[in-house]
Amino acid sequence: MNLDQSVHLQRRIHRFAVMGILITGLLVALATAIPMYRHAHTLVSSSHMEGVRAQAQAVGQFLEKATELARQIASRSAVRDKLVEYNRWEISLAEMAQFSAPRIREALDQAGNIAGMVRFDAEGNPVLELGIALPDAAQALAGQDPIATRRTGPVATAAGPHLLVSAPILSRDGERVGTDVLAFGLSQLQAPLTRAHGSLPRTRLLVFNGESGTTVELGPSGTVVRVFDTTESAPGYLRRAVDGPAGQQHVAQNGPDEIVFYTAIREMPGWSFAYSIPATDFYRPVLWQILLPLSMIALLVSAGAVLTARTIRPMAERVLQQARDLTELGESRLLAASVFDASPQAVLIMDASHRIIEANRASVRITGYGQSKLHGKPLCEALFRPEKRASCDELLWQRVDAHNGWQGETELLRCSGEVFPAWQSVTPVRDASGVIRHYICMFTDIGEKKQAEERIRHLAHHDPLTDLPNRTLLTDRLAHGLDRARRHRTSLAVLFIDLDRFKYVNDSLGHPVGDALLRIVAERFATALREEDTLSRIGGDEFVVILEELGGADDAARVARKLLDALETPSRVDGHDLFIGASIGISLFPTDGDSIDTLVRCADSAMYRAKEVGRNTFQFFTPEQASQSRERFELERDLRQAVERGELRLVYQPQADCATGRIVGVEALVRWQHPTRGLVPPDRFIPLAEEIGLISKIGAWVLNAACAQAYQWEKQGRSLRIAVNLSGQQISRDGLVELVREVLGTTGLSPTQLELEITEGHLLQRVEQCIATLRDLKSLGVTLAIDDFGTGYSSLSYLKKLPVDRLKIDRSFVEGIPDDRDDVAIVATILSMARNLGLDVIAEGVENETQLTHLRDARCAEYQGYLLSRPVSPAELEALLLDATT
C-alpha cells in the first residue's frame, strides 16, 4: 500500500466514525422532534381556539348589550306616551319631537356608543331623527318584524360602518305604537376583544351576520378595515361556522399564508366570528418549544464528533508518518527530475571533465541536438563555433573555477549551423569536501528579446510615419557632424523645410491623405540627397536636412533647389493630384553659429523669410533675420497673453445710409494696445494670430465684447447694427454656431442686431462647408455679410447658394470711382446683381463726397469710410451720434 492509499484509508476511517456519530444524533433528534412538534402544535392550536371562542363571546356580549340598550330606549314611558298621543292625532309632530328629542338624546349620551337613531310611528314613517343620518336599511329593518328586536349590518353610513338594531315601542297594553332603529359604532369592540385574547400586531378579525349576509373585517385594535356586503363575498369558513362546529383552516393567498380560527357566536344565532394570523406567527411559538431540546442534542452530537475526531487523529498521524517517511526520498527525486525536464531554460549537467551527461527537453528544442548527440561531448565542442572552442576551453572554465560560476551573453551554435544569441550561466556542484563533482549549464535563446530591443531603439530614434530620423536622432547626428566639421575645418549646412499648402490638404481631404503625402515627400527628398546626408522629420510638415563636407553656400543652395524641384511633379494620392511646394531656410556652420540650437533656430528663421518672400523658395540666414526672428518671438509671446491681460481694445467705424446720412450701424475692429510697443496695427498681429492658432480665441473675445457693447447702446436707446468679422479658422472649426448662440444668450443682444462678416476669399476655399455653417448661423436670426466682395472672381456661381443678406464692395473698387471706368463698371455690376438677388449692399473705403455722390446715384444703400468717420472708441461714437441728432 503506497502513501496515497494509506492517506485515503485513514481519511475514510476518520470520516465514517464522525459520520456515524452525526447520523445517530440526527435520528435521535428526529425521534425527539416529531412528537414534540405535534404536542406543541396541538397546544398552540388549542390556545388560539380558546382565544377565538373568548373573542366570539365578547362580540356576542357586545351585540346583546346593543340589543338591550335599544329595548331600554324604546321602553321609556314618557316619550312612548307622546308617540301614542301623536298616533291618535292629539298632538302635532313638532310637539312630539320637541318633547321627545331632549329626553332621548340624554339616553343616547348615557349609552355612549350610539351614533344615531330614527323613531318610526305605527305606520312606519320616520318621526324623529337624531345623530348621524341612517341609510334606507334602517326603514327596511323597522318593518321586518313589528314585535321582535332585529339586528342588521354593519351598514355604511356617513360616519363609517355601524350596526343597526331595531326595537319595537309597545304601549301599556302591549300594542306596537312605533319602532326605534339605532346605529351602534363598532369601536366599542376594541376593549372586549383585547381583554378576551390580547392583540397581535398582524391579526385580522372577521364578524359575519348570517341574516344580512354582511361581513366586517376588524384590525387588531378593533378598527374597521373593510365591509363585505354580500353573503357570496364572505369566506366559506364564516358561512359554515354559523351552524357548524368551530375549527381552524390553513388559507393560501397571494400574500403570506394565514391560519384561520372560526366559531359561531352562541349569544347571537346566525352570527359567526373568526380571526386569522400569518402562518409564520402561528408556527413561531411551535418551533421555539422544540428549539431548546434540539439545540442540546446538536451540541452533544457535535461534542461527541469532535472528541471522536481528536481520539482517532493521533493514531492516523502515526500511521501516515511511517508511510510518508518511506516515500519522501522517492518523491524528492521525482520532483527534481520533473523540474529539470519541465524547465523552459535549457539545462545541461556535466561531469567533472566538462562532458555532458544529462540534457533536458528545452536544450534539445533550442539547439536541435538529440540526447544521443549531446551525451558524452564536451560543452565547448557541442555548442560553440569551431573558432570559439579554444578560447572557451581556456577562458570559460578558468572563470567558472575561479569565481565559483559565470554568467553572461554569448553566441551558441544550433544543430543546423545557425548561430543564436543566448544568456548562459555555468555553476559548479561540489561535494561535502568541496571537490567539484558536476557542472550545471543553463542557457536561454534571447534572439527575439534582442530584436524587440532593437525595434524599440529604432522607434525611439525614428519617425513612425516616414521612418526618417526624428528630432532625437537628428540632434545626435548634428552633434557628431559639428564635431567632425570642427576637427576637419569643413562647412556644414542645416536646411529647415516647411511644406507650403500642406495644411489645406489636411483640412480638406483629411489626415490619411495628408499622411500619405508626407510619405511621398519623404521618399522624394531622400532620393534628392546623398547617402551621407541626414534627412529628418521633426513633426507635422517640417523636415530638417544636415549637409556635411560642403564646399560653400553654393553647394547648400544647389541641394535646396534639388529639393524644391523634387516637389514640382504633382503627387497622386487617393485619386487626387496634389501640388505642394516648400519653403526652405538655410544656416551655415561656422558662419551662422557654432551650436545645435543656434543653427536650427537660424535655419527656422530663414524659412519664415522664405515664406514671406513668396513661398516655394529658399533663403539663407542673415543677421537682419535674427533681429526679425527675435522680434517675432517676443510678439508671439506677448500676443498669447494679450487677452488675459486685457490689452485688446475694440474701436467702431460707423456705417451710414447713403441717401439720408443717418448712422445705421457700426463695424467692430480689434486693436492691440501693447504696454511697451504702443498700438500694434492689426496687419501685424492678426496674421500672426492666424498662424499660431490664436485667432479663434481672439475672435471669441471680439464677438463677446462687441455684443455686450451693442446691448449697452440698445438699453440707452441707440439701436445700432453691429458687424463683427469672422476669421477663416473660426468658420472651419466646429463650435462657431454654439459660440454665437452662447454669446447672444449671455449678453442679451437681439440676434437681429448682429451682423457676421466673412471674407469672400475664405468662402472660395471651402464653399460646401461654409454653406452648411452659414445656414446654421442664419437659423439663429443673425445677419450675414460677405466682406471684400468682388476680389474672389469665381465666387459668383456660388452666391445664389449662400444664405447671405449683404455684400460689402471692397475698397479697391471704390477708390477709383468715378474716374476709373473699370471700377465704375464693377460697382454697377455688383449693385445690379445684388438687387436681382434681393441682397443689400454697403461700400467700404468711401473717402470723399464725389465717391459718395456716385454711390448714391447708383442706388447703393449704405457706406462706411473716412468721409463718415475713422474707427473710434465707444465714447467718441456716442458723441458722434449725439452730434448727428442735434
Side-chain angles (χ1 to χ4, degrees):
M1 181 181 295
N2 59 28
L3 179 61
D4 289 340
Q5 292 172 332
S6 299
V7 171
H8 182 66
L9 179 60
Q10 295 299 324
R11 286 177 178 174
R12 289 184 64 186
I13 295 172
H14 185 272
R15 188 181 303 116
F16 286 148
V18 174
M19 286 179 62
I21 294 175
L22 293 177
I23 291 173
T24 302
L26 177 61
L27 294 175
V28 171
L30 289 175
T32 304
I34 291 174
M36 289 184 64
Y37 174 82
R38 290 176 178 175
H39 178 68
H41 187 280
T42 302
L43 289 178
V44 174
S45 296
S46 300
S47 175
H48 282 293
M49 284 305 303
E50 291 176 2
V52 76
R53 291 190 181 97
Q55 288 184 322
Q57 183 180 8
V59 174
Q61 291 172 354
F62 168 77
L63 296 174
E64 284 185 334
K65 181 179 178 181
T67 304
E68 181 60 30
L69 285 173
R71 290 196 190 101
Q72 292 176 5
I73 293 172
S75 63
R76 297 183 73 126
S77 58
V79 293
R80 177 196 62 193
D81 294 341
K82 283 296 180 182
L83 180 59
V84 172
E85 292 175 5
Y86 169 74
N87 287 338
R88 296 174 181 172
W89 299 87
E90 295 175 358
I91 61 173
S92 65
L93 178 61
E95 290 174 330
M96 186 275 295
Q98 184 178 4
F99 177 84
S100 302
R103 291 167 174 78
I104 295 177
R105 186 176 291 109
E106 180 183 0
L108 297 180
D109 293 340
Q110 291 176 355
N113 190 35
I114 302 175
M117 71 159 288
V118 180
R119 171 159 286 190
F120 296 90
D121 60 14
E123 296 179 356
N125 298 315
V127 295
L128 179 63
E129 295 185 16
L130 297 175
I132 63 173
L134 300 185
D136 295 340
Q139 188 164 6
L141 183 64
Q144 285 183 0
D145 191 338
I147 62 172
T149 302
R150 309 289 296 179
R151 291 161 300 276
T152 189
V155 297
T157 69
H162 286 79
L163 176 68
L164 300 186
V165 179
S166 68
I169 305 172
L170 304 177
S171 67
R172 296 178 186 273
D173 300 329
E175 180 184 357
R176 188 181 74 86
V177 296
T179 305
D180 282 345
V181 178
L182 292 86
F184 289 86
L186 300 179
S187 61
Q188 293 296 321
L189 279 172
Q190 177 180 0
L193 289 176
T194 304
R195 285 196 302 270
H197 195 58
S199 176
L200 296 176
R202 296 193 290 176
T203 302
R204 292 195 310 124
L205 309 177
L206 301 171
V207 180
F208 175 61
N209 182 356
E211 296 177 359
S212 62
T214 305
T215 305
V216 60
E217 179 181 342
L218 305 174
S221 62
T223 57
V224 176
V225 176
R226 55 182 170 171
V227 175
F228 305 97
D229 294 333
T230 62
T231 302
E232 289 75 15
S233 62
Y237 50 80
L238 283 175
R239 297 197 298 271
R240 292 194 303 271
V242 172
D243 300 317
Q248 74 179 66
Q249 181 176 334
H250 188 111
V251 179
Q253 51 187 12
N254 293 334
D257 291 359
E258 294 182 338
I259 306 297
V260 179
F261 299 88
Y262 53 88
T263 185
I265 301 175
R266 302 304 177 188
E267 293 78 6
M268 288 290 158
W271 291 66
S272 63
F273 174 78
Y275 82 82
S276 68
I277 60 173
T280 54
D281 290 352
F282 174 82
Y283 288 107
R284 187 178 295 112
V286 176
L287 296 176
W288 273 108
Q289 291 192 36
I290 66 172
L291 181 61
L292 180 59
L294 291 180
S295 299
M296 292 299 299
I297 293 173
L299 181 62
L300 293 174
V301 171
S302 299
V306 171
L307 291 175
T308 302
R310 288 181 176 272
T311 303
I312 294 176
R313 185 178 292 113
M315 294 184 294
E317 288 294 334
R318 284 195 294 272
V319 174
L320 291 177
Q321 185 61 42
Q322 294 174 359
R324 192 176 292 114
D325 292 340
L326 293 174
T327 58
E328 189 176 51
L329 181 60
E331 288 181 351
S332 62
R333 289 181 176 178
L334 290 174
L335 177 63
S338 64
V339 171
F340 170 76
D341 209 39
S343 172
Q345 285 189 326
V347 181
L348 301 175
I349 300 177
M350 294 161 286
D351 58 17
S353 61
H354 311 150
R355 294 182 178 276
I356 300 172
I357 57 176
E358 291 289 345
N360 69 348
R361 285 183 296 193
S363 62
V364 173
R365 174 177 52 81
I366 293 175
T367 63
Y369 290 109
Q371 291 272 7
S372 58
K373 291 187 177 181
L374 291 173
H375 194 274
K377 283 189 175 182
L379 175 68
C380 295
E381 180 183 343
L383 297 182
F384 284 81
R385 288 180 292 174
E387 62 269 23
K388 295 284 186 178
R389 291 170 185 168
S391 61
C392 171
D393 283 330
E394 181 179 353
L395 297 176
L396 175 63
W397 299 112
Q398 289 179 2
R399 292 174 182 173
V400 171
D401 295 339
H403 301 286
N404 200 36
W406 172 86
Q407 65 176 351
E409 185 177 336
T410 185
E411 291 182 342
L412 300 180
L413 189 67
R414 300 190 203 274
C415 177
S416 62
E418 175 191 358
V419 176
F420 65 96
W423 185 262
Q424 184 182 24
S425 66
V426 180
T427 305
V429 179
R430 304 176 185 270
D431 60 14
S433 60
V435 178
I436 296 176
R437 296 297 185 183
H438 297 90
Y439 293 92
I440 298 177
C441 173
M442 303 176 68
F443 59 89
T444 303
D445 185 350
I446 60 172
E448 292 184 358
K449 179 182 177 182
K450 292 182 69 67
Q451 290 176 1
E453 291 175 351
E454 181 61 31
R455 178 61 180 165
I456 292 173
R457 281 194 295 270
H458 182 82
L459 291 175
H461 293 86
H462 289 79
D463 171 45
L465 179 64
T466 61
D467 204 38
L468 295 176
N470 60 11
R471 188 184 297 271
T472 302
L473 185 55
L474 170 72
T475 302
D476 182 69
R477 291 189 179 180
L478 185 54
H480 286 86
L482 288 174
D483 288 342
R484 286 191 293 270
R486 293 187 189 101
R487 289 196 306 268
H488 300 145
R489 299 182 181 277
T490 58
S491 295
L492 179 146
V494 175
L495 281 65
F496 199 105
I497 308 170
D498 186 88
L499 302 182
D500 298 333
R501 298 183 300 277
F502 177 77
K503 185 176 183 302
Y504 297 131
V505 174
N506 243 5
D507 291 345
S508 57
L509 299 179
H511 290 285
V513 174
D515 291 345
L517 179 59
L518 287 174
R519 285 191 288 268
I520 293 175
V521 169
E523 292 174 0
R524 292 187 180 183
F525 282 169
T527 304
L529 295 172
R530 300 172 300 178
E531 185 175 351
E532 60 266 26
D533 297 331
T534 296
L535 171 63
S536 168
R537 176 175 177 250
I538 62 174
D541 58 345
E542 295 179 337
F543 297 82
V544 173
V545 175
I546 303 174
L547 303 177
E548 298 187 52
E549 298 181 0
L550 294 179
D554 290 343
D555 291 344
R558 189 162 41 254
V559 173
R561 175 52 57 193
K562 288 177 64 178
L563 294 174
L564 294 175
D565 292 342
L567 301 179
E568 287 292 333
T569 306
S571 302
R572 184 78 175 173
V573 180
D574 198 18
H576 302 280
D577 287 328
L578 304 178
F579 293 86
I580 195 169
S583 298
I584 304 177
I586 306 173
S587 62
L588 300 174
F589 168 83
T591 307
D592 300 326
D594 190 36
S595 67
I596 297 174
D597 292 340
T598 302
L599 289 172
V600 173
R601 186 173 62 252
C602 291
D604 182 46
S605 177
M607 182 272 294
Y608 277 106
R609 178 59 182 164
K611 285 188 177 295
E612 291 174 358
V613 300
R615 300 176 184 265
N616 201 33
T617 186
F618 63 88
Q619 290 286 312
F620 282 94
F621 176 78
T622 63
E624 292 78 11
Q625 291 176 10
S627 175
Q628 295 173 0
S629 177
R630 183 168 53 255
E631 181 181 5
R632 183 184 183 279
F633 170 77
E634 293 173 353
L635 197 66
E636 176 182 337
R637 178 198 61 198
D638 295 344
L639 182 59
R640 293 184 183 276
Q641 302 172 353
V643 177
E644 287 77 7
R645 292 177 176 176
E647 297 173 359
L648 298 182
R649 302 284 186 271
L650 285 185
V651 294
Y652 303 90
Q653 186 170 32
Q655 299 172 335
D657 187 286
C658 288
T660 64
R662 183 175 63 88
I663 296 177
V664 295
V666 294
E667 180 179 5
L669 302 170
V670 64
R671 298 291 186 264
W672 180 13
Q673 187 65 44
H674 194 279
T676 58
R677 300 174 185 269
L679 189 65
V680 181
D683 57 356
R684 286 193 62 192
F685 73 87
I686 291 297
L688 179 60
E690 291 180 341
E691 182 179 332
I692 64 177
L694 197 61
I695 192 64
S696 294
K697 183 177 181 180
I698 295 176
W701 178 88
V702 170
L703 180 64
N704 190 75
C707 290
Q709 180 62 65
Y711 180 66
Q712 292 298 321
W713 285 332
E714 187 175 2
K715 289 199 300 183
Q716 297 170 7
R718 299 183 177 96
S719 182
L720 295 174
R721 180 187 71 237
I722 187 160
V724 178
N725 290 282
L726 296 178
S727 70
Q729 292 184 19
Q730 283 181 285
I731 300 176
S732 299
R733 294 178 179 176
D734 295 334
L736 175 61
V737 179
E738 287 73 16
L739 172 65
V740 174
R741 182 186 292 110
E742 180 182 353
V743 169
L744 289 173
T746 303
T747 61
L749 181 66
S750 171
T752 58
Q753 298 297 108
L754 176 63
E755 180 173 280
L756 300 176
E757 296 185 358
I758 307 98
T759 59
E760 185 184 23
H762 182 76
L763 288 174
L764 294 178
Q765 295 172 5
R766 298 173 180 84
V767 175
E768 297 302 328
Q769 180 183 355
C770 287
I771 289 175
T773 302
L774 293 180
R775 284 175 179 167
D776 291 340
L777 289 172
K778 186 67 178 175
S779 66
L780 299 179
V782 302
T783 304
L784 300 177
I786 298 180
D787 196 12
D788 300 336
F789 188 78
T791 61
Y793 307 120
S794 61
S795 66
L796 299 181
S797 60
Y798 295 102
L799 188 59
K800 62 181 180 180
K801 299 181 182 180
L802 297 173
V804 297
D805 306 283
R806 194 185 315 278
L807 304 179
K808 293 190 73 173
I809 302 177
D810 187 68
R811 65 178 65 250
S812 61
F813 304 125
V814 174
E815 66 184 4
I817 60 174
D819 300 326
D820 190 314
R821 289 185 300 176
D822 292 337
D823 287 345
V824 169
I826 291 174
V827 170
T829 301
I830 293 174
L831 290 170
S832 175
M833 178 188 62
R835 280 193 294 271
N836 291 332
L837 294 175
L839 303 177
D840 294 332
V841 179
I842 181 172
E844 57 181 353
V846 179
E847 298 183 356
N848 55 61
E849 288 290 346
T850 305
Q851 294 171 342
L852 177 59
T853 300
H854 179 85
L855 291 170
R856 188 186 298 119
D857 293 341
R859 292 191 294 170
C860 180
E862 298 175 8
Y863 77 100
Q864 71 182 81
Y866 286 176
L867 176 63
L868 178 61
S869 172
R870 292 177 176 272
V872 294
S873 66
E876 292 173 321
L877 180 63
E878 292 170 8
L880 185 63
L881 293 172
L882 185 62
D883 292 341
T885 57
T886 56

